[in-house]
Amino acid sequence: MIRIIGFAACAVSFGVALYGMVVAMLGAKRRNEALIESGRQAAYATFALMTLANLAMIWGLVTHDFSIDYVAQVGSRATPVFFTIISLWSALEGSILFWGWVLAAYTAAAVWATRRGLGPLAAYANGTMLGVGVFFYLLLIGPANPWNLVSPVPADGPGPNPLLQNHVLMAVHPPLLYLGYVGLTVPFAFAIGSLLSGRGDDAWLRVTRRWTLVSWVFLSMAIVAGMWWSYDVLGWGGYWAWDPVENASFMPWLTATAFLHSAMVQERRAMLRVWNLSLIISTFLLTILGTFLTRSGVLSSVHAFTEGTIGLFFLAFIAIVLLFSLVLLMGKGGALASQGSLDDPLSRESVFLVNNLLFTAFTFTVLLGTLFPLVAEAVRGVKVSVGAPFFNRMTVPLTVALLFLVGVGPVLPWRGGARDRVARRLRWPALAAILTAAVALTLGLRAFWSFLAFTFAAFTLVSNAQEFAFGALARMRAHGEAPWRALGRLMMANNRRYGGYLAHMGVVALAVGITASSTFRSERQATLEPGQSLAVEGYRVRFDRVRAWQEPHRWVIAADLTAFRGDRELGPLDPRLNFYNARQEPITTPAVRSRPGDDLYVNLLAFEQDGSTATLSVIVEPLVWWIWLGGFIVAAGGILASLPKRKARLRLDRPAPEPVPAAEVP
């Protein structure tokens, strides 16, 4: 019964979305409000139907209804309930089902939020979002149908991929990724709506700025959560390996970040209109490309799903969207000419333009390195590997340049000019960079790009931090407010600006953490008997014993260790090997003692069954903690920038403040 309900909900969703797409487009073209409203109702109905379908699948998973094909693939009576529920997105068909629900939720929310005042633009956007939904709902009743009947019904299933039930971040990373990926459909839909409606203004940009920013925040959090998952689950001591599926999530983040910066240029200077439309269309296409790479089976990755015919559907969809978008851009591009122009190379808009060029080059580099092995194998039949050395060699200079621009941008004014003011604002950042460079050289740092990264990180941190300081000081003088109150009100009064600065500071923390951990990492391996120790970079790890126990879904082998820092005991560590029935090789669970200064990371590599020896890998990585902190700061900055701006309230019981001298206003 549950199988029939779930399939019927998906099938009706496909029909309702198709109907809604047609009537919304017709209503927009004919200015027919009844048809436009019918398209809105279709969006709401699709959301309700996809909610029903997802709840049906969760019920099937929890009740172990192995007559449902997807439950038979990923279900198991031994799997804990928590991992059983989140196995909804652990394999191909379930991930498409969850994707369809997130898309329906975004569509319904966007339609409700823009139901008044935008006319045909909102209707065309609704039709576009429903059109994207038609594709995904077609997959759910076609090549990615999770509701197929299994006969005879098996008594049990294999459970989800062991890698995906070995850490709680499995419940966090995929939903964040889908919320980021799918959310970028909204600005894409309004960009297409703007082209279809013939509007040459910036209405679509103003409407979707917050939607883009929220999706960008989700995607940023998803990438950092994925890094954390890789660090805590895969046992290699790293967090980014330039895996093709990692790259697939990173590329739309790069173009979305470029768009958020260039959108400000369009708002302030009426420039880059065609460029911004191209950027948001490219971002959407990259999300679909990433979905294709993950779900088509063309890639070998710990993140990728199994092979199937679904890849051909994704390629066809990408081709249709690309062709349709190019035709629209070429047909309407003449009406979107920029009205402004660059007045000064030392202006904020000039920095944003260079920023966009670097982000574009970064995206192209990652795209080339990701797709080249696939193209080479398809054309020449030869397997080619493009690994981390290529990506590091090509992207590290771009990253360092972007880090520098993140510090320069806040200092420069719009339209340029005011050279004396810019020079004053550059004094403290430049001094911080010089001092950092001197300290790095004194400590013996000779790696060129690491040296530049630390130097520019100091420059950028002080550049952005001083914007908070100058603004708070101006408010304190004008309103007599306490420092923290002045800072808080400053941030809320201009949340877009200071949210951006806060995100920049998070990027600095990420850059410092990544640079330090990759440059100064130390590792040692040894086979120890009980009571013996292994020392690395001031730490000492003593092996005490090996333990084993049975859990419902796995066997666990753990090494009991004691960690020391010098002569001070830090406490116990217990790295583990987890043995699942569905996988012959064990899954590691490293033991990590994390501090702001460094991480002590210990893996159990092998052991004797009688407990007489254990082989350990001990890694010390400086400042990894700052990567996770930086991710939280970036997300906090994005959330602050996306908040609605508070309206100032007129206070009649307080005299007007004295004007602040122009030289003191940031």
Side-chain angles (χ1 to χ4, degrees):
M1 185 63 178
I2 288 296
R3 185 182 66 84
I4 296 173
I5 291 174
F7 180 79
C10 292
V12 176
S13 293
F14 171 75
V16 171
L18 183 61
Y19 165 80
M21 176 188 70
V22 173
V23 298
M25 294 288 187
L26 283 177
K29 185 174 181 61
R30 298 176 180 177
R31 305 296 197 269
N32 187 317
E33 185 57 38
L35 291 176
I36 292 174
E37 178 60 27
S38 185
R40 293 194 195 103
Q41 296 304 318
Y44 303 145
T46 303
F47 171 62
L49 289 164
M50 289 309 300
T51 301
L52 176 62
N54 278 262
L55 289 176
M57 182 58 74
I58 291 173
W59 180 258
L61 288 165
V62 171
T63 59
H64 307 301
D65 186 350
F66 295 112
S67 67
I68 301 173
D69 183 35
Y70 186 74
V71 178
Q73 289 182 46
V74 303
S76 172
R77 299 184 188 278
T79 303
V81 175
F82 174 75
F83 288 106
T84 295
I85 293 173
I86 65 175
S87 63
L88 173 66
W89 50 75
S90 69
L92 172 64
E93 295 85 354
S95 70
I96 297 294
L97 181 63
F98 183 68
W99 183 296
W101 178 77
V102 176
L103 177 59
Y106 267 117
T107 302
V111 166
W112 184 85
T114 59
R115 64 194 182 280
R116 297 189 184 94
L118 292 175
L121 171 60
Y124 278 124
N126 180 27
T128 303
M129 288 184 285
L130 287 171
V132 176
V134 166
F135 168 70
F136 281 95
Y137 308 144
L138 175 63
L139 296 179
L140 289 171
I141 60 176
N145 182 2
W147 306 103
N148 288 322
L149 176 65
V150 177
S151 181
V153 178
D156 203 352
N161 185 332
L163 279 171
L164 303 179
Q165 57 174 312
N166 202 50
H167 200 285
V168 71
L169 279 174
M170 171 59 183
V172 177
H173 169 59
L176 287 175
L177 187 63
Y178 294 147
L179 287 168
Y181 260 28
V182 183
L184 292 168
T185 306
V186 178
F188 164 76
F190 276 88
I192 295 298
S194 176
L195 291 170
L196 288 172
S197 63
R199 294 185 62 157
D201 58 13
D202 300 336
W204 76 274
L205 196 70
R206 293 191 297 270
V207 169
T208 60
R209 186 195 68 83
R210 187 169 289 115
W211 292 96
T212 309
L213 193 51
V214 168
S215 301
W216 178 86
V217 169
F218 280 129
L219 190 54
S220 301
M221 294 170 65
I223 291 172
V224 175
M227 295 168 66
W228 203 339
W229 177 86
S230 180
Y231 185 69
D232 272 6
V233 171
L234 298 184
W236 60 300
Y239 37 78
W240 192 265
W242 296 106
D243 180 280
V245 179
E246 292 174 344
N247 298 347
S249 66
F250 189 41
M251 288 185 288
W253 184 88
L254 291 170
T255 53
T257 306
F259 171 76
L260 288 171
H261 287 84
S262 61
M264 289 188 281
V265 178
Q266 182 173 337
E267 288 182 304
R268 296 289 293 260
R269 300 296 315 280
M271 297 168 57
L272 307 180
R273 285 177 171 169
V274 175
W275 174 252
N276 282 326
L277 286 165
S278 303
L279 266 182
I280 206 62
I281 291 169
S282 300
T283 301
F284 174 74
L285 285 170
L286 285 171
T287 65
I288 303 300
L289 176 64
T291 311
F292 160 73
L293 292 174
T294 309
R295 288 158 178 81
S296 63
V298 300
L299 293 177
S300 176
S301 165
V302 297
H303 309 273
F305 297 113
T306 55
E307 289 190 37
T309 60
I310 196 171
L312 297 176
F313 285 79
F314 274 104
L315 286 177
F317 183 64
I318 291 171
I320 291 170
V321 173
L322 180 60
L323 181 62
F324 181 67
S325 301
L326 287 176
V327 169
L328 279 179
L329 278 174
M330 289 188 293
K332 306 289 185 178
L336 299 171
S338 297
Q339 299 173 5
S341 60
L342 290 175
D343 299 322
D344 191 331
L346 289 178
S347 62
R348 188 169 298 188
E349 54 266 39
S350 297
V351 169
F352 283 173
L353 180 58
V354 177
N355 159 295
N356 267 234
L357 294 174
L358 291 177
F359 272 119
T360 303
F362 205 137
T363 305
F364 178 76
T365 300
V366 178
L367 182 65
L368 178 64
T370 304
L371 295 184
F372 180 75
L374 302 180
V375 175
E377 185 174 0
V379 174
R380 300 173 54 194
V382 178
K383 286 188 176 293
V384 178
S385 176
V386 177
F390 165 80
F391 289 105
N392 291 335
R393 188 181 307 113
M394 299 298 294
T395 63
V396 166
L398 294 171
T399 303
V400 171
L402 285 167
L403 185 61
F404 175 69
L405 291 180
V406 169
V408 172
V411 175
L412 297 177
W414 293 100
R415 294 181 179 273
R419 295 288 199 277
D420 293 341
R421 179 177 179 273
V422 171
R424 289 196 303 271
R425 290 296 177 94
L426 283 172
R427 284 182 300 183
W428 290 110
L431 179 60
I434 292 170
L435 290 175
T436 302
V439 170
L441 291 173
T442 301
L443 295 177
L445 178 61
R446 296 295 182 266
F448 177 71
W449 293 113
S450 298
F451 170 79
L452 284 185
F454 286 125
T455 301
F456 290 161
F459 175 87
T460 297
L461 178 64
V462 174
S463 170
N464 285 269
Q466 76 177 1
E467 297 301 314
F468 287 93
F470 290 156
L473 285 172
R475 283 195 66 94
M476 288 167 60
R477 294 172 182 173
H479 301 282
E481 295 173 338
W484 290 111
R485 181 180 294 272
L487 181 61
R489 291 187 172 179
L490 173 77
M491 293 169 67
M492 294 309 300
N494 199 344
N495 57 303
R496 285 183 61 181
R497 177 182 179 185
Y498 290 99
Y501 295 158
L502 186 61
H504 290 170
M505 296 169 75
V507 169
V508 171
L510 277 161
V512 169
I514 292 171
T515 303
S517 60
S518 59
T519 303
F520 303 112
R521 165 177 163 148
S522 298
E523 179 177 5
R524 286 192 63 194
Q525 295 182 10
T527 299
L528 306 177
E529 298 178 356
Q532 292 183 331
S533 300
L534 179 62
V536 182
E537 294 293 331
Y539 286 98
R540 183 167 60 88
V541 176
R542 186 184 69 206
F543 169 52
D544 297 325
R545 62 169 180 160
V546 172
R547 289 184 296 131
W549 65 91
Q550 171 78 61
E551 294 182 356
H553 59 307
R554 63 184 180 183
W555 267 97
V556 181
I557 309 294
D560 283 346
L561 313 173
T562 304
F564 299 86
R565 178 74 170 176
D567 295 329
R568 181 167 59 91
E569 182 175 328
L570 300 178
L573 296 173
D574 61 341
R576 304 177 182 183
L577 292 174
N578 306 290
F579 294 85
Y580 293 85
N581 292 332
R583 185 183 178 101
Q584 293 182 347
E585 295 183 357
I587 305 292
T588 61
T589 298
V592 184
R593 182 172 293 276
S594 187
R595 306 185 311 157
D598 55 27
D599 275 17
L600 176 63
Y601 187 101
V602 185
N603 261 319
L604 173 61
L605 301 180
F607 62 94
E608 290 294 335
Q609 292 187 0
D610 61 1
S612 59
T613 63
T615 302
L616 304 177
S617 169
V618 180
I619 305 172
V620 176
E621 295 184 87
L623 306 186
V624 173
W625 186 84
W626 291 89
I627 299 175
W628 322 134
L629 176 64
F632 283 116
I633 295 174
V634 168
I639 293 170
L640 175 62
S642 66
L643 294 175
K645 191 170 183 179
R646 291 173 54 185
K647 295 182 179 179
R649 292 181 297 175
L650 182 63
R651 294 290 301 271
L652 301 178
D653 58 342
R654 179 181 296 177
E658 293 294 326
V660 181
E664 299 179 10
V665 177

